[in-house]
Each structure stands twice: as C-alpha cells, then as structure tokens.
Amino acid sequence: MKSFHYTVTDKMGLHAQPAGFLTKLALSFPCRVTVIQGSRRADAKKIFGVMGLGVKCGQEITLETDGDREEEAMEALREFAEKNL
C-alpha cells in the first residue's frame, strides 16, 4: 500500500471538475484507490463518493493505492493533485 498526503489549495476545494478527473485517473489503474479526509473514506473510482467527502480549500486529504500497479498509480495521483487540487 502506498499513500500520499496533500493539502487542497483550490479555492473551490475538491469540486465536480477535479473530482471527475481524479475518478477518471483512478479508473485507469487496476489497484484500489481511496481518498481519505479526516475519518471519512471514499472509493476514488466513484465520483459521488469523492464529492461526498466535501473537501474544502485548506483541508488535507490522503490518497491511498493498494494492489497491482500501485506505485505507478500513486505517482500519477501525486502529479495530478499537485497540479489540479
């Protein structure tokens, strides 16, 4: 399992557009991808779960990958987060 912590800097938080791109990216990998905010977890491959976390600007999220190609997925997710969230 790999994990990465990131503080959201987008003024609108993790809203629909970046959540959709995050979900699409997560779906491109066979491993499990999870978004964690506080004590809540969401399957990153399900957009409503990601949006349901209600992540706001300044809040920290953790991205976790587990399974086949987890390292490759984590690197792609880290790059995505740093550019888009």
Side-chain angles (χ1 to χ4, degrees), residues 15-26:
H15 58 93
Q17 186 175 18
F21 290 135
L22 176 66
T23 298
K24 186 175 181 180
L25 180 60

Side-chain angles (χ1 to χ4, degrees), residues 25 29 31 33 65 69-78:
L25 180 60
F29 293 98
C31 60
V33 181
T65 57
R69 298 176 51 200
E70 67 184 26
E71 290 183 28
E72 182 183 351
M74 182 52 64
E75 191 56 40
L77 291 164
R78 179 190 317 266

Side-chain angles (χ1 to χ4, degrees), residues 39-59:
S39 63
R40 300 181 316 160
R41 304 171 71 86
D43 181 346
K45 295 181 179 186
K46 298 182 179 181
I47 190 168
F48 290 116
V50 174
M51 290 183 59
L53 292 174
V55 179
K56 296 180 179 19
C57 183
Q59 291 184 318

